[in-house]
Amino acid sequence: MRPHHLAEPASTPEIEALFADDVSDRGFVMNLSRLWAYQPATLTGLFDLLGATTAAGGLTVRQRGVLVTATASTLGDSYCSLAWGGKLADAADASTAAGVLAGDDTRLTEPERGMARWARAVVRD
């Protein structure tokens, strides 16, 4: 008996690259990557769109980390909180990331505090 209802997607170079990136970055293949393996071109398109949007807005990795971490933690999304909290810790430091996850923005700049407040307000609304 399989632990899930979907058959494994047929292996392609795109799927192998997706999994290899996970193993290289994290030491294992994330469940989310296993899901995206069914539509790797869609994942590429999404990341291209996010990259273009981030660039158009002039957001740094740290600023994007503040926005996503504040959003994910307010939603109670532990998966994204862990992933983006780690990215924010890399871009800032662990104490700053932990603070944003806990709703304490004292280690952020004033513009970043505004971003975090805005992200949480959107989620709560």
Side-chain angles (χ1 to χ4, degrees):
M1 175 184 281
R2 285 194 295 237
H4 52 78
H5 302 285
L6 298 174
E8 292 290 326
S11 183
T12 66
E14 295 82 10
I15 293 171
E16 293 303 318
L18 176 65
F19 291 175
D21 285 347
D22 277 4
V23 171
S24 173
D25 292 346
R26 294 172 182 84
F28 62 94
V29 176
M30 296 188 309
N31 289 335
L32 187 59
S33 295
R34 293 183 191 284
L35 180 62
W36 279 114
Y38 293 93
Q39 292 288 321
T42 303
L43 175 64
T44 300
L46 174 62
F47 281 179
D48 288 348
L49 176 64
L50 289 170
T53 303
T54 299
L59 294 175
T60 66
V61 172
R62 178 180 165 122
Q63 290 169 326
R64 187 169 174 209
V66 168
L67 286 167
V68 177
T69 302
T71 299
S73 62
T74 302
L75 282 170
D77 182 338
S78 58
Y79 196 89
C80 285
S81 292
L82 178 62
W84 275 95
K87 288 181 186 203
L88 180 55
D90 289 343
D93 58 68
S95 296
T96 300
V100 174
L101 286 166
D104 175 7
D105 301 331
T106 56
R107 296 181 62 96
L108 299 178
T109 66
E110 190 55 39
E112 291 169 341
R113 285 186 196 120
M115 291 175 162
R117 281 192 305 272
W118 175 81
R120 291 184 187 108
V122 169
V123 169
R124 289 182 185 119
D125 189 32

